[in-house]
Amino acid sequence: MANSHYEYVKKFEISDPCLLNCWPVVRIDGKNFHKFSKLHKFKKPNDDRALNLMTKSAESVMNMCHDIVVSYGQSDEYSFVFKKSTATYNRRASKLSSVVVSQFSSAYVFHWKDFFPDQELLYPPAFDSRVILYPSDKNMRDYLSWRQVDCHINNLYNTCFWSLVHSGMTPFTAQDELKGTLASDKNEILFSKFGINYNNLPQLYRKGTVLIREKADVNSSGNDDEEPISEAMDADLNDSKKRKLRKPITALNTDVIGDEFWKKHPHVLNTDR
Ligand code: DGT
Ligand code: MG
Ligand code: MG
Ligand code: MG
Ligand code: MG
């Protein structure tokens, strides 16, 4: 029944479209993962299971939203960069933000047992999310660089901190020892006290994870597709849809700050040209 007495309430909904020509970025972050990581006995400072589960969940988001051209994750966060011209959900910020974070959260819980076979999930984890709009390629690249620098700074600190604690120092003394130290001091502590060459630690810890698609998503219509493709569904899909769904996602633990990554994968920036 159209035009019911109650339909006027719809007018209270506020439209929140992302500004045209900007890169919409959705960042999700684990809620109180300080507690969650402790309770679920994450290895310190880095737990491969936790980091890989984050990436698995991010892949699930990318399999749902084909307009996401690149994602970057570290610690308990992931950023999803939509192509500038995305028409997904008419660019509505609240829709983009909420669908990304809910898909991420449910994938995190869904895949938990595959990554933590010996650790029960003790309560349902939550993630927050926000949308940020970047008006230039430089701003968007600087955003990803900012997150990767954050990864490096935290990882260097945490690696030092936990090396000191594991060697017998109390957390309080370790914190005091690191107060006011520069990156070079921390590198020196790691090398002289523990024989650790920071630059030889896994790139997963030092650089985080970048997810890209093999090729530009030229067929993307802005529509969303469900993640699993069952055999039955497979038979029903036409070829172009199959191509779209099958575009492989590659995980790289690489530098995104310099030009090399962007020169090597030009389609990430050129989706709209
Ligand atoms: P929030 O985001 O304001 O709700 O609060 P938190 O506690 O999630 O704070 P945040 O996001 O700044 O920091 C991430 C926390 O997650 C931090 O306490 C360390 C923890 N975490 C993330 N990845 C790992 C890991 O691989 N191993 C361990 N042990 N902890 C991790
Ligand atoms: Mg958090
Ligand atoms: Mg926080
Ligand atoms: Mg965080
Ligand atoms: Mg509906």
Side-chain angles (χ1 to χ4, degrees):
M1 193 175 69
N3 295 323
S4 88
H5 175 66
Y6 306 109
E7 212 168 281
Y8 78 94
V9 296
K10 219 173 156 355
K11 292 182 186 146
F12 283 71
E13 246 185 69
I14 289 163
S15 155
D16 58 350
C18 294
L19 190 65
L20 290 172
N21 294 342
C22 292
W23 295 96
V25 177
V26 177
R27 182 169 79 250
I28 64 90
D29 184 287
K31 183 174 184 296
N32 200 356
F33 263 45
H34 180 70
K35 171 185 152 197
F36 185 84
S37 58
K38 227 180 199 170
L39 218 62
H40 292 87
K41 304 188 180 70
F42 284 14
K43 293 192 175 67
K44 294 162 196 310
N46 293 290
D47 190 315
D48 285 26
R49 301 168 300 174
L51 296 172
N52 291 333
L53 174 56
M54 289 291 290
T55 291
K56 181 78 181 175
S57 309
E59 283 171 0
S60 170
V61 171
M62 286 181 79
N63 283 331
M64 178 191 62
C65 289
H66 293 268
D67 277 2
I68 295 170
V69 292
V70 57
S71 307
Y72 173 74
Q74 52 118 345
S75 181
D76 68 338
E77 69 170 61
Y78 243 98
S79 298
F80 300 92
V81 181
F82 283 76
K83 69 179 193 178
K84 277 194 286 191
S85 67
T86 187
T88 304
Y89 293 122
N90 289 326
R91 298 176 73 83
R92 288 177 60 183
S94 54
K95 287 258 192 178
L96 293 175
S97 175
S98 59
V99 80
V100 164
V101 74
S102 70
Q103 180 73 23
F104 190 95
S105 306
S106 62
Y108 191 92
V109 171
F110 186 77
H111 295 294
W112 173 269
K113 62 182 181 319
D114 301 331
F115 292 83
F116 288 90
D118 304 320
Q119 171 63 57
E120 192 193 347
L121 184 57
L122 300 170
Y123 66 90
F127 295 83
D128 69 43
S129 77
R130 70 198 73 190
V131 177
I132 318 117
L133 296 172
Y134 289 109
S136 70
D137 293 2
K138 179 181 183 305
N139 293 156
M140 189 274 275
R141 277 188 53 177
D142 285 350
Y143 168 80
L144 293 175
S145 300
W146 172 53
R147 299 323 303 147
Q148 191 162 53
V149 167
D150 187 80
C151 173
H152 161 70
I153 291 171
N154 289 333
N155 186 57
L156 180 58
Y157 181 90
N158 292 336
T159 305
C160 273
F161 178 83
W162 286 109
S163 298
L164 291 169
V165 171
H166 290 149
S167 76
M169 224 179 240
T170 66
F172 185 80
T173 319
Q175 197 179 5
D176 211 43
E177 176 95 0
L178 293 175
K179 206 177 249 169
T181 54
L182 305 171
S184 53
D185 302 324
K186 294 188 190 78
N187 275 301
E188 183 54 29
I189 291 172
L190 282 177
F191 193 69
S192 60
K193 287 200 172 168
F194 307 108
I196 295 172
N197 184 339
Y198 182 76
N199 289 327
N200 292 342
L201 293 179
Q203 297 242 110
L204 168 64
Y205 306 160
R206 292 184 293 118
K207 306 284 183 197
T209 303
V210 193
L211 296 177
I212 52 167
R213 298 181 198 279
E214 287 295 315
K215 270 188 282 154
D217 196 350
V218 288
N219 295 319
S220 174
S221 62
N223 292 333
D224 305 306
D225 295 288
E226 299 299 325
E227 181 186 14
I229 315 168
S230 67
E231 300 267 312
M233 271 172 76
D234 201 344
D236 288 342
L237 294 172
N238 63 36
D239 281 345
S240 91
K241 193 139 191 178
K242 271 184 198 165
R243 264 203 307 283
K244 190 169 135 186
L245 289 168
R246 291 259 172 75
K247 204 159 347 318
I249 295 167
T250 309
L252 303 164
N253 305 117
T254 192
D255 176 85
V256 296
I257 298 169
D259 288 334
E260 199 184 324
F261 168 81
W262 301 97
K263 281 186 179 147
K264 209 168 162 187
H265 310 285
H267 65 275
V268 175
L269 282 179
N270 293 341
T271 337
D272 293 321
R273 277 162 221 154

